[in-house]
Amino acid sequence: MIKKAIYPGSFDPLTLGHMDIIERSSKIVNELVVGVLNNSAKNSLFSIEERVNMIKEMTSSLPNVTVGSFDGLLVDYMEEIGANIIIRGLRAVTDFEYELQIAQTNHVESPQVETIFLTTSLQYSYLSSTIVKEFASHGGDISKFVPASMVDRIYMKYKK
Ligand code: PNS
């Protein structure tokens, strides 16, 4: 019985690949929380407030999806919000080792926590926030990578 799940990540910025996982996983769980990592050590392009607000905007048509932010351990945040399932997207075999490590660590730390992996839709299997930032920083076309309303907001970050 899957009740409340979390889809955690940095989402800096949210890509169409992330949106795909959010839409698909929201259909298989009762409640989905998109959990944005507030990692102060990481130099992020968008502030935590900007990322949370953008994801809220992009998911407003999905009634069982909410957005929150956390710092510290994911399992601690999950306990706080009463979630027991972690959703992660797997793009390629290169993702697997890292994802396996995190999933197993989280499960050892909190045995009630399970991780469910969704394979990324084929058209987004190459996509990552890092690639989007790299492209945008050189003025490349990112319209196939991120939701339409985010394109200009990303370019703006690179305007001097
Ligand atoms: O989008 P990302 O950067 O691949 O997401 C990674 C994330 C946020 C899922 C992971 O770094 C995370 O959960 N960080 C919080 C600290 C934690 O609980 N780490 C997992 C145990 S090592």
Side-chain angles (χ1 to χ4, degrees), residues 2 9 11 24-25 31 45 48 56 69 76 78 93 98 108 112 117 119 121-123 125-126 158:
I2 298 174
F11 307 110
R24 286 162 56 209
S25 57
E31 247 184 289
L45 185 64
I48 186 69
K56 277 186 181 163
S69 65
D76 289 343
M78 290 177 71
V93 73
Y98 172 64
V108 168
Q112 76 282 5
F117 294 107
T119 51
S121 294
L122 209 54
Q123 73 264 37
S125 59
Y126 59 90
Y158 292 102

Side-chain angles (χ1 to χ4, degrees), residues 77-89:
Y77 180 57
M78 290 177 71
E79 197 177 334
E80 197 184 300
I81 63 171
N84 58 341
I85 301 287
I86 300 169
I87 304 281
R88 291 286 286 172

Side-chain angles (χ1 to χ4, degrees), residues 8-11 37 42 70 72-75 88 98-99 102 105-106:
S10 305
F11 307 110
L37 178 67
K42 233 178 172 179
F70 71 102
L73 284 179
L74 175 60
V75 289
R88 291 286 286 172
Y98 172 64
E99 292 297 337
I102 297 186
T105 310
N106 286 332

